[in-house]
Amino acid sequence: MGLVGGGRRNLNFEEWFKAELLPIIQTELAETSPVAMRAMQARAVQVVQAYAASLKKEDFGIAFQAVAKLLASPDVVVSLCAARCVFHLALMHIKGTEEVPQLVAVREHSVMALGNTFALANRVEGEECLRVTLECISGLVEANGIRLEPILQAIAEQLP
């Protein structure tokens, strides 16, 4: 990062994502991992969500897949941050009938994301936590639109 006129910082998000954030969100942490590492992973997911519009097309799918895997994290806080992020990523590129590469990436990883989200819904307690998981499921279903066939099995498996 270099300083530019007026003391404002110039941040290259692509470089930061690849060098710092991606390795953090791709790390599989255990319940016994230090709390600081788990907190850092949750914050990295929140940063990806906040700067998702800055993700390049080729990085979007990698980010979505990594965050969707974190829905199954043993740390519930990390999982809930991932659920919020997946919801945001799933819906941010819906623009009419246009097939953008980011939406294709969401659809490619929706079955895994849905399975992890349903598993998270079974782990959490409290109305707010359940609302976050149901919102994530809703976003994934909306992102798949009329192309629901691949994810219908994942949804049907969760019904009583």
Side-chain angles (χ1 to χ4, degrees), residues 17 22 25-26 45 48-49 52 55-72 81-93 101-117 136-137 139-141 143-144 151:
F17 173 74
L22 187 59
I25 64 175
Q26 287 180 325
V45 170
V48 168
Q49 178 180 342
L55 286 168
K56 303 266 186 207
K57 292 177 191 177
E58 51 277 0
D59 294 332
F60 185 90
I62 296 167
F64 184 84
Q65 183 178 17
V67 173
K69 285 182 180 178
L70 288 177
L71 289 163
C81 288
R84 286 185 184 100
C85 186
V86 164
F87 172 76
H88 178 73
L89 294 175
L91 296 179
M92 70 182 288
H93 290 287
Q102 295 91 333
L103 195 51
V104 171
V106 168
R107 291 176 180 152
E108 287 175 4
H109 302 292
S110 285
V111 172
M112 180 259 301
L114 274 170
N116 289 345
T117 307
C136 183
I137 291 166
L140 288 165
V141 169
N144 280 273
I151 66 169

Side-chain angles (χ1 to χ4, degrees), residues 146-160:
I146 60 170
R147 294 166 187 83
L148 280 176
E149 190 174 329
I151 66 169
L152 285 177
Q153 181 67 30
I155 294 171
E157 288 174 2
Q158 301 301 319
L159 298 175

